[in-house]
Amino acid sequence: LNEQIRNSLEIHDYLNQQKQVVDSYLDDFLPSASEYPEIIHEAMRYSLLAGGKRLRPILALATTDALDGDFHRAIFLACALEMIHTYSLIHDDLPAMDNDDYRRGQLTCHKKFGEGIAILAGNALLTQAFQLLAEIPGDESLAPTKIRTIHHICRAIGSRKGVIAGQVVDLITQGKQFTRKELEYIHSAKTGALIEASVYTAAILAGADRDTRQRLRNFGSTIGLAFQIVDDVLDVTGSPEELGKASGKDTAGHKATYPRLYGLERSREIANELVEAAIQELSFLGDKSEKLKELAQFISIRRF
Ligand code: GRG
């Protein structure tokens, strides 16, 4: 048990320290709140700098580290991923979607700024993300790598097995019966795809070979699915204080979740099994996989 506590402290320390790095670059990359038209920049900064675990950018940076990639390039990718993620949260919280009042421990973007500005702040974060990707520093020879990176992110968030696809199936299955296959599809697409892309695109940018990219991709998709299963579990067992958002929403909204189909205990087991399997994928990296392993473990033990 002592070792478990020590591991958990180490993981949380690492996350906090990396979060500070990511946050300082996000602050730099965003237009300042005093830039005209102020309201949109205030709204973008409000949602992006509110907190959040920064898991996606931290995964991208840990992957870069494991492959001896260039931090100064990877940080552009890392911040773009967090902007895309925050955009998805702002739109997910809108009345037309999940209709939530709280996110990251504060009022949701539309509650604070109104629906029109919240929609635009989401759109602006998405747009800014692609601008950052285009601005990844490097000479002409990096251009094909940048295009591959951008291409993969587009695929990961689009309407064919990407985040939008997952959100659509999530929306249309609400209140309906669903199969195990549909449930896995929703979770892998809605949440898994961007987490997978965080690892995979970092590997592309670091110039990893095909085999390495494929293994990391499997790792990413597996922890991505586990992450959403744990999210489902926490929606049942967590408190609004811990989560920074309302809990019990999935049950109330008759959503397709793992606990609904498998029960809480089995859902936890499935998530743990996935994390274990994902860690196995990393053995080819040897000692270099340490931080990625810790991040995978964090997914099983997290309470927020
Ligand atoms: C194309 C990216 C994109 C979005 C458009 C609105 C929408 C379609 C999709 C919503 C997807 C969504 C909100 C999935 C849930 C993902 C999830 C588990 C969010 C919580 O992530 P955490 O726990 O949050 O990492 P923090 O606040 O820590 O960053």
Side-chain angles (χ1 to χ4, degrees), residues 11 32 36 39 45 47 56 58 86 126 134 137 139 143 148-149 157 161 180 199 211 213 221 229 240 264 277 279 299:
I11 297 172
S32 99
Y36 184 80
I39 185 86
R45 299 182 74 89
S47 288
R56 295 149 193 84
I58 293 172
T86 302
L126 178 65
D139 61 25
R148 288 180 75 176
T149 305
I157 68 180
K161 296 193 189 161
R180 289 179 178 208
V199 175
D211 190 49
R213 290 199 310 266
S221 62
I229 298 173
L264 272 179
I279 289 175
I299 290 172

Short mmCIF file of all heavy atoms in Angstrom, two decimals, residues 11 32 36 39 45 47 56 58 86 126 134 137 139 143 148-149 157 161 180 199 211 213 221 229 240 264 277 279 299:
data_model
loop_
_atom_site.label_atom_id
_atom_site.label_comp_id
_atom_site.label_asym_id
_atom_site.label_seq_id
_atom_site.Cartn_x
_atom_site.Cartn_y
_atom_site.Cartn_z
N ILE A 11 2.93 10.62 -9.32
CA ILE A 11 2.14 10.93 -10.51
C ILE A 11 1.54 12.32 -10.39
O ILE A 11 1.60 13.13 -11.32
CB ILE A 11 1.02 9.89 -10.73
CG1 ILE A 11 1.62 8.51 -10.98
CG2 ILE A 11 0.11 10.29 -11.89
CD1 ILE A 11 0.61 7.37 -11.02
N SER A 32 -4.45 38.38 -25.84
CA SER A 32 -4.68 38.91 -24.49
C SER A 32 -6.13 39.38 -24.36
O SER A 32 -6.80 39.67 -25.36
CB SER A 32 -3.70 40.06 -24.20
OG SER A 32 -4.35 41.29 -24.41
N TYR A 36 -9.02 43.73 -28.86
CA TYR A 36 -10.34 43.90 -29.46
C TYR A 36 -10.67 42.74 -30.40
O TYR A 36 -9.79 42.34 -31.16
CB TYR A 36 -10.35 45.22 -30.24
CG TYR A 36 -11.68 45.59 -30.83
CD1 TYR A 36 -12.67 46.18 -30.04
CD2 TYR A 36 -11.94 45.36 -32.18
CE1 TYR A 36 -13.89 46.53 -30.58
CE2 TYR A 36 -13.17 45.70 -32.73
CZ TYR A 36 -14.14 46.28 -31.93
OH TYR A 36 -15.34 46.63 -32.47
N ILE A 39 -14.40 40.69 -25.61
CA ILE A 39 -15.28 39.68 -25.03
C ILE A 39 -14.93 38.25 -25.48
O ILE A 39 -14.96 37.31 -24.69
CB ILE A 39 -16.78 40.01 -25.34
CG1 ILE A 39 -17.74 39.05 -24.65
CG2 ILE A 39 -17.07 40.04 -26.83
CD1 ILE A 39 -18.09 39.43 -23.26
N ARG A 45 -10.09 32.75 -22.85
CA ARG A 45 -9.16 32.63 -21.73
C ARG A 45 -9.86 32.07 -20.50
O ARG A 45 -9.29 31.26 -19.76
CB ARG A 45 -8.51 33.99 -21.40
CG ARG A 45 -7.71 34.57 -22.55
CD ARG A 45 -7.05 35.89 -22.16
NE ARG A 45 -5.94 35.67 -21.28
CZ ARG A 45 -4.68 35.45 -21.69
NH1 ARG A 45 -4.39 35.47 -22.97
NH2 ARG A 45 -3.73 35.23 -20.83
N SER A 47 -12.33 29.93 -20.27
CA SER A 47 -12.52 28.47 -20.29
C SER A 47 -11.20 27.72 -20.37
O SER A 47 -11.03 26.67 -19.75
CB SER A 47 -13.40 28.06 -21.48
OG SER A 47 -14.72 28.45 -21.22
N ARG A 56 -4.20 15.69 -22.10
CA ARG A 56 -3.84 15.50 -23.52
C ARG A 56 -2.49 16.14 -23.86
O ARG A 56 -1.61 15.48 -24.43
CB ARG A 56 -4.99 15.95 -24.41
CG ARG A 56 -6.24 15.07 -24.21
CD ARG A 56 -7.55 15.78 -24.41
NE ARG A 56 -8.70 15.00 -23.93
CZ ARG A 56 -9.10 14.99 -22.64
NH1 ARG A 56 -8.48 15.72 -21.71
NH2 ARG A 56 -10.13 14.25 -22.28
N ILE A 58 -0.13 16.87 -21.79
CA ILE A 58 0.93 16.20 -21.01
C ILE A 58 1.29 14.86 -21.66
O ILE A 58 2.46 14.48 -21.73
CB ILE A 58 0.52 16.07 -19.51
CG1 ILE A 58 0.44 17.47 -18.88
CG2 ILE A 58 1.50 15.19 -18.75
CD1 ILE A 58 -0.12 17.51 -17.46
N THR A 86 -10.75 21.90 -25.00
CA THR A 86 -11.55 22.91 -24.29
C THR A 86 -12.73 23.36 -25.16
O THR A 86 -13.84 23.56 -24.67
CB THR A 86 -10.68 24.10 -23.87
OG1 THR A 86 -9.63 23.62 -23.04
CG2 THR A 86 -11.49 25.14 -23.10
N LEU A 126 -10.86 26.34 -31.62
CA LEU A 126 -10.58 25.33 -32.65
C LEU A 126 -9.71 25.94 -33.76
O LEU A 126 -8.72 25.35 -34.21
CB LEU A 126 -11.88 24.79 -33.23
CG LEU A 126 -11.74 23.76 -34.36
CD1 LEU A 126 -11.09 22.47 -33.85
CD2 LEU A 126 -13.09 23.42 -34.97
N ALA A 134 -0.05 24.99 -37.70
CA ALA A 134 0.62 25.50 -38.91
C ALA A 134 1.89 26.26 -38.53
O ALA A 134 2.81 26.38 -39.35
CB ALA A 134 -0.33 26.39 -39.69
N PRO A 137 7.37 25.45 -35.21
CA PRO A 137 8.62 25.95 -35.78
C PRO A 137 9.44 24.85 -36.46
O PRO A 137 9.48 23.72 -35.99
CB PRO A 137 9.37 26.51 -34.56
CG PRO A 137 8.71 25.95 -33.37
CD PRO A 137 7.34 25.51 -33.73
N ASP A 139 12.09 24.28 -40.43
CA ASP A 139 12.30 24.76 -41.80
C ASP A 139 11.41 23.98 -42.78
O ASP A 139 10.61 23.14 -42.38
CB ASP A 139 13.78 24.73 -42.18
CG ASP A 139 14.34 23.31 -42.11
OD1 ASP A 139 13.54 22.36 -42.24
OD2 ASP A 139 15.56 23.16 -41.91
N ALA A 143 7.71 20.53 -43.30
CA ALA A 143 6.34 20.73 -43.80
C ALA A 143 5.53 19.43 -43.97
O ALA A 143 4.39 19.36 -43.51
CB ALA A 143 6.37 21.53 -45.10
N ARG A 148 1.08 15.89 -42.00
CA ARG A 148 0.62 14.60 -41.45
C ARG A 148 0.01 14.77 -40.07
O ARG A 148 -0.96 14.11 -39.71
CB ARG A 148 1.78 13.61 -41.37
CG ARG A 148 2.21 13.11 -42.72
CD ARG A 148 3.35 12.16 -42.59
NE ARG A 148 2.90 10.86 -42.10
CZ ARG A 148 3.71 9.83 -41.97
NH1 ARG A 148 4.98 9.94 -42.27
NH2 ARG A 148 3.24 8.68 -41.54
N THR A 149 0.64 15.63 -39.28
CA THR A 149 0.14 15.89 -37.93
C THR A 149 -1.27 16.50 -38.00
O THR A 149 -2.20 16.03 -37.34
CB THR A 149 1.09 16.86 -37.19
OG1 THR A 149 2.40 16.32 -37.22
CG2 THR A 149 0.65 17.10 -35.76
N ILE A 157 -10.85 14.13 -34.94
CA ILE A 157 -11.97 14.90 -34.38
C ILE A 157 -13.17 14.97 -35.32
O ILE A 157 -14.19 15.56 -34.97
CB ILE A 157 -11.54 16.32 -33.92
CG1 ILE A 157 -11.15 17.21 -35.10
CG2 ILE A 157 -10.41 16.24 -32.90
CD1 ILE A 157 -10.72 18.61 -34.67
N LYS A 161 -15.73 8.25 -37.22
CA LYS A 161 -15.05 7.63 -36.07
C LYS A 161 -14.27 8.62 -35.20
O LYS A 161 -13.50 8.22 -34.33
CB LYS A 161 -14.09 6.52 -36.54
CG LYS A 161 -14.80 5.36 -37.19
CD LYS A 161 -13.85 4.19 -37.32
CE LYS A 161 -14.47 3.10 -38.17
NZ LYS A 161 -13.48 2.17 -38.70
N ARG A 180 -23.39 -3.19 -26.70
CA ARG A 180 -22.01 -3.06 -26.23
C ARG A 180 -21.14 -2.42 -27.29
O ARG A 180 -20.25 -1.63 -27.02
CB ARG A 180 -21.43 -4.43 -25.88
CG ARG A 180 -22.06 -4.97 -24.65
CD ARG A 180 -21.56 -6.32 -24.26
NE ARG A 180 -22.25 -6.67 -23.02
CZ ARG A 180 -21.78 -7.46 -22.09
NH1 ARG A 180 -20.61 -8.04 -22.25
NH2 ARG A 180 -22.45 -7.70 -21.00
N VAL A 199 -1.07 11.14 -28.38
CA VAL A 199 0.13 10.30 -28.36
C VAL A 199 0.65 10.09 -29.79
O VAL A 199 1.84 10.26 -30.07
CB VAL A 199 -0.22 8.93 -27.71
CG1 VAL A 199 0.95 7.99 -27.78
CG2 VAL A 199 -0.65 9.15 -26.26
N ASP A 211 6.43 1.40 -36.92
CA ASP A 211 6.15 0.43 -35.87
C ASP A 211 5.95 1.14 -34.52
O ASP A 211 5.01 0.83 -33.78
CB ASP A 211 7.33 -0.55 -35.81
CG ASP A 211 7.02 -1.72 -34.92
OD1 ASP A 211 5.93 -2.30 -35.08
OD2 ASP A 211 7.85 -2.03 -34.04
N ARG A 213 5.09 4.25 -34.09
CA ARG A 213 3.84 5.03 -34.15
C ARG A 213 2.64 4.12 -33.88
O ARG A 213 1.74 4.48 -33.14
CB ARG A 213 3.68 5.67 -35.54
CG ARG A 213 4.65 6.79 -35.82
CD ARG A 213 4.16 7.68 -36.96
NE ARG A 213 3.75 6.96 -38.16
CZ ARG A 213 4.54 6.72 -39.21
NH1 ARG A 213 5.79 7.14 -39.21
NH2 ARG A 213 4.07 6.07 -40.26
N SER A 221 -5.16 4.70 -27.86
CA SER A 221 -6.59 4.40 -27.99
C SER A 221 -7.07 3.59 -26.80
O SER A 221 -8.20 3.76 -26.34
CB SER A 221 -6.88 3.69 -29.31
OG SER A 221 -6.21 2.47 -29.34
N ILE A 229 -14.33 5.37 -19.58
CA ILE A 229 -15.01 4.44 -18.67
C ILE A 229 -14.90 4.95 -17.23
O ILE A 229 -15.88 4.98 -16.49
CB ILE A 229 -14.44 3.00 -18.81
CG1 ILE A 229 -14.67 2.48 -20.23
CG2 ILE A 229 -15.06 2.07 -17.76
CD1 ILE A 229 -14.01 1.14 -20.54
N PRO A 240 -19.52 16.76 -6.95
CA PRO A 240 -19.29 17.97 -7.74
C PRO A 240 -18.04 18.72 -7.29
O PRO A 240 -17.33 19.29 -8.11
CB PRO A 240 -20.55 18.81 -7.50
CG PRO A 240 -21.59 17.83 -7.10
CD PRO A 240 -20.87 16.72 -6.38
N LEU A 264 -20.94 -0.94 -11.76
CA LEU A 264 -19.76 -0.16 -11.36
C LEU A 264 -18.50 -0.98 -11.23
O LEU A 264 -17.44 -0.63 -11.75
CB LEU A 264 -20.01 0.50 -10.00
CG LEU A 264 -20.68 1.88 -10.00
CD1 LEU A 264 -20.86 2.36 -8.57
CD2 LEU A 264 -19.86 2.87 -10.82
N ALA A 277 -3.23 -3.48 -20.21
CA ALA A 277 -2.92 -3.87 -21.59
C ALA A 277 -2.16 -2.76 -22.30
O ALA A 277 -1.21 -3.01 -23.06
CB ALA A 277 -4.20 -4.21 -22.34
N ILE A 279 -0.20 -0.54 -20.95
CA ILE A 279 1.17 -0.48 -20.44
C ILE A 279 2.05 -1.56 -21.09
O ILE A 279 3.21 -1.32 -21.42
CB ILE A 279 1.17 -0.55 -18.88
CG1 ILE A 279 0.61 0.78 -18.32
CG2 ILE A 279 2.56 -0.84 -18.32
CD1 ILE A 279 0.42 0.82 -16.83
N ILE A 299 -4.85 7.22 -14.88
CA ILE A 299 -6.22 7.06 -15.38
C ILE A 299 -7.00 6.07 -14.53
O ILE A 299 -8.18 6.30 -14.25
CB ILE A 299 -6.18 6.65 -16.87
CG1 ILE A 299 -5.71 7.86 -17.68
CG2 ILE A 299 -7.54 6.13 -17.36
CD1 ILE A 299 -5.44 7.58 -19.14
#
